[in-house]
Amino acid sequence: MGSKAVRLDLLSSVTYDGSATAISISTPLTSLAFGSTGSLVGNGLAAGGLLYEDPTMVQTQFANAETLLSVAMGSGGQAESQAAVGDVDLLPGTAYEVTADFVMSTVYSTLSGSSGYSDINNLQVAGMPVTVTGAPNQVVDVLGLATLVINEQTPTSNGMVVNALDLSTVDGVQVLVSSVSASVSSLSLGLSPGSSAVQVGHSSFIQPMHAITTCPDFVTGGGWITVTDGSGNDKGTFGFVAGCKNGGTNPRGNLEYHDHDNPAFFNVKATSVDFYSDCGAGSSPNCRTFSGDAEVNHVSGYRYECTVQDNGEPGKGSDLFVIQVFQNGVQVYSSLDAGSNGVLGGGNIKLHTSG
């Protein structure tokens, strides 16, 4: 499926670029990419815009994974890209197999500098747990047969590239997981872009269904919540893009959610985003709700509603995500009923206001 592009009204003298790829594989014979947005510049969005790619499953001899989020954007003097992947299994069946429950990378770039980070859960290399320090460019030698770089960060002339995982073998195979880039440059000296600081909300998290009044902005996110409704595999992983371009009234986006503890709702996939709004009076200004049609385990006839809240950077232990699923108007699933309190165990949710 092709990337979705949305043009925004932005600072005309600033040039934005960036991209996000969930999984890329290079060998001496082939090169593959999954969940790849392409670049802002390559899609004619150097003046600003939003690119996102629909989630998919990756099943190859070099990597197995579920892509959750691939998004790149430029707006208000800042470029940002995010990529998130769940159930990662790299080079399966080999002596240097690498696995992780969840992997996400984020990079930000402005005219004054760039920063990035990675969020990795339950990383194992050759069957042994690996402690992720959070420091850039953590290197792990794998039996002398491969090298794994964790949270790989490479500055560029106007930005930064972040690869959450970079696995390279001695026989020329390289697998990148959650690879993102962002850059901002100016055509005129002395331009000072507007601030894009995130507000922190402290009000109650609510999930009302109410009539849409505006479509003021958009929200992106990827991560996992704890669920305890079944087998003991206690993660619900998700990725989404939802909302409108500046001044728009027609919501769009995508959603992928997997309850790994409940086979009946292992895969909830949005087929539309047709509702997007704030969360109503009394809620946090950083809370958004969106909904649409969905497939459950590839069967149509369902509706979903998500309520999300951006409470700071990064979102682990702070941001909130709740999903409900309905069939014929009756709720058949709720992540709250599945044992989640909505708080992210890992990942991040970011509200992008019109500024």
Side-chain angles (χ1 to χ4, degrees), residues 208-228:
M209 297 188 71
H210 58 88
I212 187 168
T213 55
T214 61
C215 191
D217 43 44
F218 65 98
V219 63
T220 61
W224 62 272
I225 54 177
T226 298
V227 291
T228 57

PDB file of all heavy atoms in Angstrom, residues 208-228:
ATOM      1  N   PRO A 208     -15.438   9.725  26.496  1.00  0.00           N
ATOM      2  CA  PRO A 208     -16.823   9.964  26.107  1.00  0.00           C
ATOM      3  C   PRO A 208     -17.019   9.814  24.616  1.00  0.00           C
ATOM      4  O   PRO A 208     -16.090   9.985  23.846  1.00  0.00           O
ATOM      5  CB  PRO A 208     -17.042  11.426  26.513  1.00  0.00           C
ATOM      6  CG  PRO A 208     -15.688  12.052  26.321  1.00  0.00           C
ATOM      7  CD  PRO A 208     -14.691  10.968  26.680  1.00  0.00           C
ATOM      8  N   MET A 209     -18.236   9.481  24.209  1.00  0.00           N
ATOM      9  CA  MET A 209     -18.623   9.553  22.817  1.00  0.00           C
ATOM     10  C   MET A 209     -19.549  10.748  22.689  1.00  0.00           C
ATOM     11  O   MET A 209     -20.575  10.822  23.363  1.00  0.00           O
ATOM     12  CB  MET A 209     -19.325   8.273  22.360  1.00  0.00           C
ATOM     13  CG  MET A 209     -18.435   7.043  22.428  1.00  0.00           C
ATOM     14  SD  MET A 209     -19.186   5.595  21.677  1.00  0.00           S
ATOM     15  CE  MET A 209     -19.113   6.037  19.948  1.00  0.00           C
ATOM     16  N   HIS A 210     -19.174  11.737  21.869  1.00  0.00           N
ATOM     17  CA  HIS A 210     -19.975  12.941  21.748  1.00  0.00           C
ATOM     18  C   HIS A 210     -19.869  13.467  20.325  1.00  0.00           C
ATOM     19  O   HIS A 210     -19.016  13.051  19.550  1.00  0.00           O
ATOM     20  CB  HIS A 210     -19.519  14.010  22.747  1.00  0.00           C
ATOM     21  CG  HIS A 210     -18.072  14.392  22.607  1.00  0.00           C
ATOM     22  ND1 HIS A 210     -17.639  15.368  21.761  1.00  0.00           N
ATOM     23  CD2 HIS A 210     -16.962  13.883  23.197  1.00  0.00           C
ATOM     24  CE1 HIS A 210     -16.322  15.476  21.846  1.00  0.00           C
ATOM     25  NE2 HIS A 210     -15.889  14.579  22.715  1.00  0.00           N
ATOM     26  N   ALA A 211     -20.732  14.395  19.989  1.00  0.00           N
ATOM     27  CA  ALA A 211     -20.781  14.907  18.616  1.00  0.00           C
ATOM     28  C   ALA A 211     -19.526  15.710  18.298  1.00  0.00           C
ATOM     29  O   ALA A 211     -19.038  16.484  19.116  1.00  0.00           O
ATOM     30  CB  ALA A 211     -22.007  15.786  18.432  1.00  0.00           C
ATOM     31  N   ILE A 212     -18.978  15.521  17.114  1.00  0.00           N
ATOM     32  CA  ILE A 212     -17.790  16.248  16.700  1.00  0.00           C
ATOM     33  C   ILE A 212     -18.136  17.709  16.434  1.00  0.00           C
ATOM     34  O   ILE A 212     -19.170  18.022  15.857  1.00  0.00           O
ATOM     35  CB  ILE A 212     -17.167  15.592  15.450  1.00  0.00           C
ATOM     36  CG1 ILE A 212     -15.819  16.259  15.129  1.00  0.00           C
ATOM     37  CG2 ILE A 212     -18.103  15.648  14.252  1.00  0.00           C
ATOM     38  CD1 ILE A 212     -15.026  15.484  14.107  1.00  0.00           C
ATOM     39  N   THR A 213     -17.280  18.602  16.906  1.00  0.00           N
ATOM     40  CA  THR A 213     -17.488  20.017  16.673  1.00  0.00           C
ATOM     41  C   THR A 213     -16.408  20.597  15.781  1.00  0.00           C
ATOM     42  O   THR A 213     -16.676  21.452  14.946  1.00  0.00           O
ATOM     43  CB  THR A 213     -17.503  20.777  18.003  1.00  0.00           C
ATOM     44  OG1 THR A 213     -16.294  20.495  18.718  1.00  0.00           O
ATOM     45  CG2 THR A 213     -18.696  20.338  18.851  1.00  0.00           C
ATOM     46  N   THR A 214     -15.171  20.140  15.951  1.00  0.00           N
ATOM     47  CA  THR A 214     -14.070  20.597  15.113  1.00  0.00           C
ATOM     48  C   THR A 214     -13.130  19.433  14.861  1.00  0.00           C
ATOM     49  O   THR A 214     -13.219  18.398  15.496  1.00  0.00           O
ATOM     50  CB  THR A 214     -13.271  21.726  15.796  1.00  0.00           C
ATOM     51  OG1 THR A 214     -12.707  21.224  17.017  1.00  0.00           O
ATOM     52  CG2 THR A 214     -14.164  22.921  16.094  1.00  0.00           C
ATOM     53  N   CYS A 215     -12.215  19.629  13.936  1.00  0.00           N
ATOM     54  CA  CYS A 215     -11.129  18.667  13.714  1.00  0.00           C
ATOM     55  C   CYS A 215      -9.847  19.476  13.743  1.00  0.00           C
ATOM     56  O   CYS A 215      -9.312  19.840  12.698  1.00  0.00           O
ATOM     57  CB  CYS A 215     -11.333  17.944  12.385  1.00  0.00           C
ATOM     58  SG  CYS A 215     -10.235  16.533  12.145  1.00  0.00           S
ATOM     59  N   PRO A 216      -9.348  19.818  14.932  1.00  0.00           N
ATOM     60  CA  PRO A 216      -8.377  20.892  15.060  1.00  0.00           C
ATOM     61  C   PRO A 216      -6.931  20.535  14.739  1.00  0.00           C
ATOM     62  O   PRO A 216      -6.127  21.424  14.503  1.00  0.00           O
ATOM     63  CB  PRO A 216      -8.504  21.280  16.539  1.00  0.00           C
ATOM     64  CG  PRO A 216      -8.908  20.006  17.213  1.00  0.00           C
ATOM     65  CD  PRO A 216      -9.773  19.274  16.227  1.00  0.00           C
ATOM     66  N   ASP A 217      -6.562  19.257  14.741  1.00  0.00           N
ATOM     67  CA  ASP A 217      -5.153  18.900  14.703  1.00  0.00           C
ATOM     68  C   ASP A 217      -5.037  17.415  14.401  1.00  0.00           C
ATOM     69  O   ASP A 217      -5.966  16.804  13.879  1.00  0.00           O
ATOM     70  CB  ASP A 217      -4.491  19.239  16.045  1.00  0.00           C
ATOM     71  CG  ASP A 217      -5.359  18.842  17.243  1.00  0.00           C
ATOM     72  OD1 ASP A 217      -5.918  17.725  17.223  1.00  0.00           O
ATOM     73  OD2 ASP A 217      -5.508  19.645  18.171  1.00  0.00           O
ATOM     74  N   PHE A 218      -3.902  16.799  14.738  1.00  0.00           N
ATOM     75  CA  PHE A 218      -3.781  15.353  14.579  1.00  0.00           C
ATOM     76  C   PHE A 218      -2.877  14.793  15.660  1.00  0.00           C
ATOM     77  O   PHE A 218      -2.123  15.530  16.324  1.00  0.00           O
ATOM     78  CB  PHE A 218      -3.288  14.977  13.180  1.00  0.00           C
ATOM     79  CG  PHE A 218      -1.884  15.427  12.858  1.00  0.00           C
ATOM     80  CD1 PHE A 218      -0.814  14.554  12.971  1.00  0.00           C
ATOM     81  CD2 PHE A 218      -1.631  16.719  12.409  1.00  0.00           C
ATOM     82  CE1 PHE A 218       0.476  14.949  12.657  1.00  0.00           C
ATOM     83  CE2 PHE A 218      -0.349  17.122  12.082  1.00  0.00           C
ATOM     84  CZ  PHE A 218       0.709  16.244  12.209  1.00  0.00           C
ATOM     85  N   VAL A 219      -2.958  13.475  15.863  1.00  0.00           N
ATOM     86  CA  VAL A 219      -2.215  12.816  16.915  1.00  0.00           C
ATOM     87  C   VAL A 219      -1.606  11.539  16.347  1.00  0.00           C
ATOM     88  O   VAL A 219      -2.213  10.871  15.501  1.00  0.00           O
ATOM     89  CB  VAL A 219      -3.126  12.530  18.132  1.00  0.00           C
ATOM     90  CG1 VAL A 219      -4.251  11.572  17.776  1.00  0.00           C
ATOM     91  CG2 VAL A 219      -2.336  12.005  19.329  1.00  0.00           C
ATOM     92  N   THR A 220      -0.406  11.207  16.788  1.00  0.00           N
ATOM     93  CA  THR A 220       0.270   9.989  16.356  1.00  0.00           C
ATOM     94  C   THR A 220       0.745   9.242  17.594  1.00  0.00           C
ATOM     95  O   THR A 220       0.942   9.831  18.664  1.00  0.00           O
ATOM     96  CB  THR A 220       1.479  10.288  15.460  1.00  0.00           C
ATOM     97  OG1 THR A 220       2.443  11.075  16.195  1.00  0.00           O
ATOM     98  CG2 THR A 220       1.059  11.062  14.224  1.00  0.00           C
ATOM     99  N   GLY A 221       0.942   7.941  17.465  1.00  0.00           N
ATOM    100  CA  GLY A 221       1.433   7.194  18.605  1.00  0.00           C
ATOM    101  C   GLY A 221       1.752   5.752  18.292  1.00  0.00           C
ATOM    102  O   GLY A 221       1.234   5.172  17.342  1.00  0.00           O
ATOM    103  N   GLY A 222       2.614   5.204  19.093  1.00  0.00           N
ATOM    104  CA  GLY A 222       2.936   3.783  19.054  1.00  0.00           C
ATOM    105  C   GLY A 222       3.401   3.366  20.429  1.00  0.00           C
ATOM    106  O   GLY A 222       4.037   4.145  21.142  1.00  0.00           O
ATOM    107  N   GLY A 223       3.053   2.143  20.829  1.00  0.00           N
ATOM    108  CA  GLY A 223       3.493   1.711  22.140  1.00  0.00           C
ATOM    109  C   GLY A 223       2.810   0.439  22.590  1.00  0.00           C
ATOM    110  O   GLY A 223       2.263  -0.307  21.780  1.00  0.00           O
ATOM    111  N   TRP A 224       2.827   0.206  23.895  1.00  0.00           N
ATOM    112  CA  TRP A 224       2.158  -0.968  24.449  1.00  0.00           C
ATOM    113  C   TRP A 224       1.596  -0.661  25.829  1.00  0.00           C
ATOM    114  O   TRP A 224       2.093   0.207  26.545  1.00  0.00           O
ATOM    115  CB  TRP A 224       3.087  -2.180  24.504  1.00  0.00           C
ATOM    116  CG  TRP A 224       4.314  -2.061  25.364  1.00  0.00           C
ATOM    117  CD1 TRP A 224       5.543  -1.577  24.997  1.00  0.00           C
ATOM    118  CD2 TRP A 224       4.449  -2.470  26.730  1.00  0.00           C
ATOM    119  NE1 TRP A 224       6.428  -1.645  26.041  1.00  0.00           N
ATOM    120  CE2 TRP A 224       5.785  -2.195  27.124  1.00  0.00           C
ATOM    121  CE3 TRP A 224       3.587  -3.045  27.664  1.00  0.00           C
ATOM    122  CZ2 TRP A 224       6.272  -2.467  28.397  1.00  0.00           C
ATOM    123  CZ3 TRP A 224       4.060  -3.319  28.944  1.00  0.00           C
ATOM    124  CH2 TRP A 224       5.399  -3.037  29.289  1.00  0.00           C
ATOM    125  N   ILE A 225       0.504  -1.366  26.131  1.00  0.00           N
ATOM    126  CA  ILE A 225      -0.142  -1.305  27.436  1.00  0.00           C
ATOM    127  C   ILE A 225      -0.189  -2.720  28.005  1.00  0.00           C
ATOM    128  O   ILE A 225      -0.079  -3.698  27.268  1.00  0.00           O
ATOM    129  CB  ILE A 225      -1.566  -0.733  27.334  1.00  0.00           C
ATOM    130  CG1 ILE A 225      -2.401  -1.517  26.309  1.00  0.00           C
ATOM    131  CG2 ILE A 225      -1.530   0.750  26.978  1.00  0.00           C
ATOM    132  CD1 ILE A 225      -3.841  -1.086  26.192  1.00  0.00           C
ATOM    133  N   THR A 226      -0.345  -2.829  29.310  1.00  0.00           N
ATOM    134  CA  THR A 226      -0.453  -4.127  29.952  1.00  0.00           C
ATOM    135  C   THR A 226      -1.900  -4.604  29.910  1.00  0.00           C
ATOM    136  O   THR A 226      -2.815  -3.871  30.282  1.00  0.00           O
ATOM    137  CB  THR A 226       0.022  -4.058  31.404  1.00  0.00           C
ATOM    138  OG1 THR A 226       1.402  -3.677  31.428  1.00  0.00           O
ATOM    139  CG2 THR A 226      -0.136  -5.408  32.090  1.00  0.00           C
ATOM    140  N   VAL A 227      -2.125  -5.829  29.447  1.00  0.00           N
ATOM    141  CA  VAL A 227      -3.441  -6.456  29.455  1.00  0.00           C
ATOM    142  C   VAL A 227      -3.323  -7.804  30.169  1.00  0.00           C
ATOM    143  O   VAL A 227      -2.298  -8.471  30.079  1.00  0.00           O
ATOM    144  CB  VAL A 227      -4.002  -6.645  28.031  1.00  0.00           C
ATOM    145  CG1 VAL A 227      -4.353  -5.305  27.415  1.00  0.00           C
ATOM    146  CG2 VAL A 227      -3.017  -7.391  27.136  1.00  0.00           C
ATOM    147  N   THR A 228      -4.387  -8.195  30.865  1.00  0.00           N
ATOM    148  CA  THR A 228      -4.328  -9.419  31.681  1.00  0.00           C
ATOM    149  C   THR A 228      -5.617 -10.219  31.534  1.00  0.00           C
ATOM    150  O   THR A 228      -6.204 -10.666  32.518  1.00  0.00           O
ATOM    151  CB  THR A 228      -4.119  -9.073  33.170  1.00  0.00           C
ATOM    152  OG1 THR A 228      -5.187  -8.206  33.596  1.00  0.00           O
ATOM    153  CG2 THR A 228      -2.796  -8.390  33.396  1.00  0.00           C
TER     154      THR A 228
END
